[in-house]
Amino acid sequence: MSARRRPPGELRTEGLNMTPMIDIVFQLLIFFMLSMRFRDVEGKLLSQLPKDRGQAPAASLPVTVKEVRIVLCGGDAAGHRANRAAHEEQVKPSDECRVLVGDEELGSLFRSEKFPDRLKENREICRRLGARTRQLYDLVPASAGAPGEQARRPPVVLDADSETPYEHVIGVVNACREEGIDNVEFAANPRHQKYLPTPPKGPGPAKK
Amino acid sequence: MAARRPLPPEAELDGFDMTPMIDIVFQLIIFFMLVSDLARARMDDLTLPTARKAQQERSEDPATLVLNVKQDGTIRSSGVDLWTPRMGGNTRVLEDLFERRRNDRRLQEIPGKTDWVKYPVLIRADRSTSFEHVQKLLMIATLHGGVTRVQLGARQETAP
């Protein structure tokens, strides 16, 4: 330690110079404040998957099983546009998604990203879809479940084309939820699948 | 520069006291560091579809598997790409992830049995994602993961 002798008139300086630290600390503070973004309020739609294996259903389902089926035909497969007016030329096939409940067509949903002005119509179609699904759902007889279990209605099956934008799927699930229908299942339809997962190997998980 | 004038002797003591300010600033820094980190770690930046009936959960189950599906179909979890469109039919990474979880005793519905598992899976997909990518995830989750509960991420609709 240096014992520098202070001249009698000199003021004692502080021991630690805080200025650079405060500079850095402020910079850090400003960085974190600016880089922070509050998360949007997010919600979840709870959904069930079938408790057995997620195999695609065989083509020969027993015809006695009555169920409500919602079909979303998106993309080129739908073959629409036939009755499109000329001023709607900018609507590409991939922007439109036909909605069918049972065998009744309810209209088309449009991508909200490209057609934000159609959001209201989309909502209206979803509302009608919910109402129609509810009507049909009430007609489906409840099947007697396993002994000891309550009789359950078969689920509403949502069969969406692979090209269907995810927002429409959520819209349909939401519409069913609003009508009080909780069990919506997704159809695993092989005709829509480009990327079939490989079935699990070995003795492990396939057992029931 | 002018030479400093000698201050009166009491100035030594009542100079500007920085200590409380530094305390507060440090606390703010720590707050922002923690908050910004937590918000980003698992949730990717996506435009979720809106749904009125989406439920908001106060506390999130830490066992939840969060899967983000981007617009082009890329599937990410905790910042790692699990599947990209270039991989095509190769879904091994996803399958392995689900199988690892299925074999984790703590997550099994009946410990020791790999039939069903009980951790929630949250699927957050962009609103324009083709449904095939979500469907692929669902199929892998049931086939390889024994998953029965799925949560579909949506933004809560504000306007009527």
Side-chain angles (χ1 to χ4, degrees):
Chain A
M1 270 204 254
S2 69
R4 190 168 67 92
R5 201 164 291 154
R6 245 180 267 281
E10 195 190 322
L11 182 73
R12 188 151 44 94
T13 51
E14 303 106 71
L16 186 69
N17 187 5
M18 293 284 216
T19 324
M21 190 188 72
I22 292 168
D23 287 352
I24 297 292
V25 160
F26 266 116
Q27 297 225 8
L28 280 174
L29 181 67
I30 287 163
F31 168 74
F32 282 114
M33 274 172 76
L34 292 182
S35 69
M36 197 184 78
R37 221 188 33 141
F38 281 104
R39 230 166 77 196
D40 288 345
V41 181
E42 264 179 36
K44 297 165 182 172
L45 291 165
L46 304 181
S47 175
Q48 301 279 333
L49 292 176
K51 264 209 169 180
D52 42 20
R53 304 181 52 197
Q55 213 67 308
S60 58
L61 269 179
V63 276
T64 46
V65 176
K66 233 184 133 198
E67 58 180 16
V68 185
R69 204 173 183 84
I70 302 171
V71 182
L72 295 176
C73 298
D76 301 321
H80 24 249
R81 299 193 77 179
N83 49 3
R84 284 252 140 260
H87 65 273
E88 287 190 317
E89 264 308 298
Q90 77 273 27
V91 180
K92 289 210 197 89
S94 58
D95 297 332
E96 190 181 351
C97 172
R98 286 162 66 209
V99 185
L100 294 96
V101 181
D103 33 12
E104 183 190 345
E105 180 155 359
L106 291 178
S108 292
L109 297 169
F110 291 87
R111 278 181 195 270
S112 62
E113 194 183 5
K114 271 180 109 175
F115 304 98
D117 48 322
R118 285 189 187 259
L119 212 61
K120 228 172 159 185
E121 293 164 49
N122 281 0
R123 261 189 217 134
E124 174 58 22
I125 288 174
C126 282
R127 198 195 55 73
R128 270 174 33 219
L129 168 121
R132 182 73 187 132
T133 309
R134 181 80 239 181
Q135 276 176 5
L136 292 175
Y137 189 67
D138 288 340
L139 297 176
V140 175
S143 61
E149 271 182 28
Q150 251 193 336
R152 276 199 78 183
R153 290 236 175 81
V156 172
V157 177
L158 173 54
D159 187 352
D161 257 347
S162 46
E163 309 255 307
T164 310
Y166 181 65
E167 60 182 330
H168 299 331
V169 176
I170 286 291
V172 169
V173 175
N174 184 54
C176 292
R177 214 35 83 79
E178 292 206 2
E179 290 290 335
I181 302 170
D182 276 351
N183 53 341
V184 178
E185 275 186 8
F186 299 102
N189 203 325
R191 79 166 190 272
H192 299 145
Q193 249 139 53
K194 255 191 259 165
Y195 314 105
L196 266 174
T198 49
K201 57 204 180 294
K207 285 174 289 172
K208 177 122 194 245
Chain B
M1 286 259 208
R4 263 208 258 166
R5 265 185 295 144
L7 291 169
E10 66 266 26
E12 250 180 76
L13 291 173
D14 62 20
F16 186 52
D17 187 8
M18 293 277 206
T19 325
M21 188 188 72
I22 292 168
D23 286 353
I24 297 291
V25 162
F26 266 116
Q27 297 226 7
L28 280 174
I29 284 191
I30 288 165
F31 168 76
F32 281 114
M33 274 172 78
L34 291 180
V35 165
S36 64
D37 209 9
L38 283 180
R40 300 269 172 103
R42 277 151 45 111
M43 308 290 188
D44 279 10
D45 205 359
L46 297 170
T47 318
L48 296 185
T50 55
R52 273 226 321 245
K53 281 285 175 178
Q55 301 162 12
Q56 203 192 340
E57 271 177 36
R58 279 268 145 250
S59 60
E60 196 168 281
D61 188 347
T64 308
L65 175 62
V66 183
L67 295 162
N68 301 285
V69 188
K70 293 211 285 199
Q71 200 166 350
D72 63 349
T74 304
I75 298 167
R76 286 168 66 86
S77 180
S78 304
V80 182
D81 281 0
L82 300 176
W83 185 87
T84 53
R86 277 194 306 136
M87 291 178 173
N90 174 16
T91 50
R92 280 244 59 88
V93 186
L94 274 171
E95 290 162 19
D96 288 347
L97 170 77
F98 277 109
E99 273 175 22
R100 263 204 311 280
R101 287 207 149 209
R102 170 180 224 152
N103 292 323
D104 188 338
R105 281 182 74 90
R106 286 164 304 168
L107 301 175
Q108 287 159 2
E109 216 151 281
I110 306 160
K113 289 195 115 190
T114 56
D115 289 356
W116 304 319
V117 290
K118 61 178 176 194
Y119 64 91
V121 176
L122 169 61
I123 297 179
R124 297 174 75 249
D126 193 278
R127 62 179 176 179
S128 306
T129 312
S130 294
F131 184 58
E132 61 186 342
H133 301 299
V134 180
Q135 202 175 31
K136 173 178 61 204
L137 258 183
L138 295 177
M139 290 206 47
I140 294 172
T142 29
L143 270 167
H144 294 268
V147 173
T148 54
R149 275 200 301 160
V150 178
Q151 302 169 340
L152 304 173
R155 204 150 42 88
Q156 273 179 325
E157 207 167 328
T158 41

